[in-house]
Amino acid sequence: MSKNSPAGLILQKPYYAEYIGPGAAIGGMFDLQCITIHPLGQAELSVPETLDDRQDAFQRRMEDIEAMQQICEKDLPVERAVAVLEMLSQQFHKEEIQMISNDILAKLVGVLPSTMAAAWQQVSHSSQKRNSPAQSYQEEPAYASHEVAFA
């Protein structure tokens, strides 16, 4: 994936999902079991042309895996769910993240979809406190599925 755009992919596998950031290697032996791809931002794919480019892409993939591993080491499921939403919110708009179903987001960090729904409420509540402390209305996230399947 091109490292020049703020984009990412969530690759759904049979029992889990992986977040892949810009510049990381995708496809090949890494992703034989991929079921669907969920894009975030304007993902552009590029083929690494040199050995150094390929090594950089593999290194970025490992960094993405390590970052997700750090989130998964949190003890409480709701902490993992909130952490992955916060990580994604640093790069993408909330509305864009909400286009990915709770089921897929939950598979990123090994939690139930209901735990991810609770995390959305917690993240929405904390961001409302920061943005407008007098406001008590809590917006429910709208979820839609935006996925691309391939064989």
Side-chain angles (χ1 to χ4, degrees):
M1 190 160 55
S2 174
K3 57 185 169 188
N4 298 326
S5 60
L9 298 173
I10 296 176
L11 305 180
Q12 181 184 359
K13 311 271 176 110
Y15 304 105
Y16 66 99
E18 281 186 70
Y19 173 75
I20 310 301
I26 61 170
M29 296 300 293
F30 282 122
D31 302 314
L32 291 175
Q33 295 182 333
C34 189
I35 298 169
T36 58
I37 300 173
H38 308 269
L40 291 165
Q42 295 294 326
E44 297 176 17
L45 300 179
S46 62
V47 178
E49 296 182 17
T50 67
L51 177 60
D52 285 342
D53 290 344
R54 285 191 295 280
Q55 287 176 337
D56 288 345
F58 290 131
Q59 181 62 36
R60 287 182 188 268
R61 178 75 179 248
M62 294 303 297
E63 290 168 2
D64 291 339
I65 291 169
E66 290 168 0
M68 201 58 64
Q69 177 65 34
Q70 287 180 340
I71 291 172
C72 288
E73 289 174 357
K74 295 183 181 298
D75 290 331
L76 297 176
V78 73
E79 287 178 350
R80 294 193 303 268
V82 167
V84 76
L85 291 177
E86 289 173 346
M87 187 259 318
L88 292 172
S89 294
Q90 291 174 2
Q91 300 173 44
F92 307 105
H93 295 289
K94 177 181 169 185
E95 295 79 19
E96 191 169 15
I97 302 164
Q98 289 175 334
M99 300 221 17
I100 309 297
S101 72
N102 279 344
D103 184 52
I104 302 303
L105 292 171
K107 286 181 178 183
L108 285 170
V109 290
V111 301
L112 296 171
S114 58
T115 304
M116 191 57 66
W120 272 117
Q121 289 182 347
Q122 188 172 334
V123 168
S124 293
H125 182 69
S126 66
S127 68
Q128 285 179 358
K129 278 186 175 180
R130 286 190 305 264
N131 295 336
S132 58
Q135 187 178 8
S136 63
Y137 172 74
Q138 190 170 14
E139 180 181 332
E140 290 292 320
Y143 303 102
S145 177
H146 183 78
E147 51 190 56
V148 179
F150 67 94

